[in-house]
Amino acid sequence: MAPGATRYQPASTAIQKSGMFCIDMRRVFVNISMDGKNDRIEHLKNMVTSIIQGKDVRNTNDLLIVSGFQSGMSPIVQRVHYLMKDKPINEMLSDFYKTLVCSFTDFQDNHVTLHVQVYDIDDHEDVKEFVKSASSLAGNVAGTFPVITPYVAMGSAVATGLAGLISSIEEHDKIIDQNLRLTITREKTGYNLLQTGHWVCFEKELPEDGGLVLDPHMAILHKDSKEPFVDCSYAIYTIRGEDAAEPDWEIDQKVAKLLSELEGKGNSGRAPVDFLRETMEGYTAFKKLKRVQQLERKGGARTPEEDALLARLRADDRIAQFL
């Protein structure tokens, strides 16, 4: 996290309630290989494979990158950015399936929390095949929003396998697993302030004045030598004061949030069925308003039955205030 996050930066814009913003994952840097690190037999297998293939597979990871986000008391929603077998270390990663983590056009909470998880996936038999086929996740809503997978009739086997993997991700080898909470509040109160700009989440805590800078290519450098910083792994997020400009994104995000709530991942203490009922009430009211508009446009061409229906709809207390 950048030093000085408890105050607004000169080049940043404060995000306020009812504001619009989106968060993207921009870069991930991994400086450590976990392949075979804790398994002597696996380590020996990697050495043999390195000799046969002519490359050092001990300096790779079967890499999975996931972002979670939570606003207020809503449930955590996970977003898959990357899954790649035998990815070399010390490379800057940016070729994600999707960079977008979340987007809000009318933010109504006091804070948003980001959860970055970068893991090396153990070479279990049950995950080998779909890791190899991970390219099929690109553009797949069931893959990039894993919680949706069970509800998609034509969901791919890769997406289904990935959903199971993410639910047990902590059983694999951790590279980065950190939270970043950004809050709408006053400056210098000890909170990290929700504002536009770039945010760096390091694998471990660093001194506040660590002598590091972010270069125009989104890499962390030592301020004095301008040499790349490779002492630990890190992820970089960008917050923009605009919406995502992806037509279906906000709907997919809300669907994923609702399904996460139904799975009991919320923190509000309300029963999941309450959130489903609230959602369906809003949907029903919208459909009624749409029907009123359709009937009003017909004017004198309405049938007696349609006139009676229009009268009933106009008298409905749940939508009368919107007419």
Side-chain angles (χ1 to χ4, degrees), residues 8-304:
Y8 293 114
Q9 302 300 302
S12 297
T13 301
I15 304 295
Q16 303 293 351
K17 281 197 171 185
S18 302
M20 176 189 303
F21 70 97
C22 63
I23 304 177
D24 293 273
M25 172 171 275
R26 301 294 303 281
R27 299 287 190 273
V28 169
F29 177 81
V30 174
N31 78 328
I32 186 173
S33 172
M34 306 298 290
D35 282 343
K37 182 181 178 187
N38 301 314
D39 189 327
R40 180 174 174 79
I41 294 176
E42 187 68 23
H43 180 69
L44 292 173
K45 284 170 58 180
N46 286 339
M47 289 183 63
V48 173
T49 304
S50 298
I51 295 172
I52 295 173
Q53 296 183 1
K55 63 179 182 180
D56 191 355
V57 299
R58 292 170 297 173
N59 287 327
T60 64
N61 292 294
D62 294 340
L63 203 61
L64 172 63
I65 302 175
V66 178
S67 284
F69 72 91
Q70 179 185 32
S71 58
M73 301 302 291
S74 298
I76 295 174
V77 176
Q78 291 176 306
R79 182 78 161 145
V80 177
H81 298 291
Y82 194 83
L83 178 61
M84 182 65 67
K85 186 173 178 61
D86 295 331
K87 186 63 182 176
I89 65 172
N90 293 323
E91 291 185 3
M92 187 65 73
L93 305 177
S94 61
D95 53 335
F96 306 127
Y97 303 134
K98 290 283 188 178
T99 62
L100 192 59
V101 177
C102 55
S103 179
F104 302 92
T105 56
D106 179 13
F107 190 65
Q108 291 296 307
D109 294 302
N110 291 317
H111 70 270
V112 60
T113 301
L114 297 176
H115 184 195
V116 55
Q117 293 178 295
V118 181
Y119 275 74
D120 171 61
I121 303 306
D122 295 332
D123 199 19
H124 295 161
E125 289 297 325
D126 58 344
V127 301
K128 277 184 178 179
E129 291 306 315
F130 77 80
V131 171
K132 291 179 182 177
S133 306
S135 60
S136 66
L137 286 173
N140 185 330
V141 67
T144 52
F145 278 120
V147 70
I148 295 178
T149 298
Y151 306 91
V152 179
M154 299 302 291
S156 72
V158 175
T160 303
L162 183 61
L165 172 60
I166 290 176
S167 67
S168 60
I169 191 172
E170 293 178 0
E171 297 175 8
H172 297 268
D173 295 323
K174 179 181 71 174
I175 298 173
I176 305 175
D177 196 322
Q178 299 282 2
N179 286 326
L180 174 61
R181 176 169 168 147
L182 304 173
T183 303
I184 296 176
T185 187
R186 300 186 307 278
E187 292 187 285
K188 299 179 181 179
T189 56
Y191 291 97
N192 297 315
L193 300 176
L194 182 56
Q195 57 188 298
T196 60
H198 305 303
W199 295 81
V200 184
C201 189
F202 293 99
E203 160 203 348
K204 60 185 179 181
E205 187 172 349
L206 298 177
E208 183 169 325
D209 186 11
L212 302 176
V213 294
L214 182 67
D215 81 349
H217 302 290
M218 304 293 287
I220 304 296
L221 307 178
H222 290 282
K223 185 185 299 184
D224 296 332
S225 67
K226 303 304 181 190
E227 291 295 318
F229 172 77
V230 296
D231 297 352
C232 72
S233 302
Y234 60 86
I236 302 176
Y237 290 94
T238 296
I239 299 180
R240 296 177 287 143
E242 57 191 56
D243 69 353
E246 294 187 24
D248 296 328
W249 168 262
E250 195 164 0
I251 298 300
D252 291 342
Q253 177 176 295
K254 288 179 178 178
V255 169
K257 184 180 290 187
L258 175 61
L259 293 176
S260 295
E261 190 67 58
L262 292 176
E263 288 188 354
K265 296 178 180 178
N267 295 317
S268 66
R270 294 172 61 189
V273 70
D274 290 342
F275 286 87
L276 181 59
R277 184 180 293 113
E278 184 179 285
T279 300
M280 294 309 299
E281 286 174 353
Y283 172 76
T284 301
F286 173 77
K287 294 291 288 185
K288 288 181 177 181
L289 288 169
K290 190 174 181 180
R291 186 64 170 140
V292 168
Q293 290 181 336
Q294 291 173 343
L295 293 172
E296 287 179 339
R297 282 196 294 266
K298 294 186 72 172
R302 288 192 300 269
T303 66

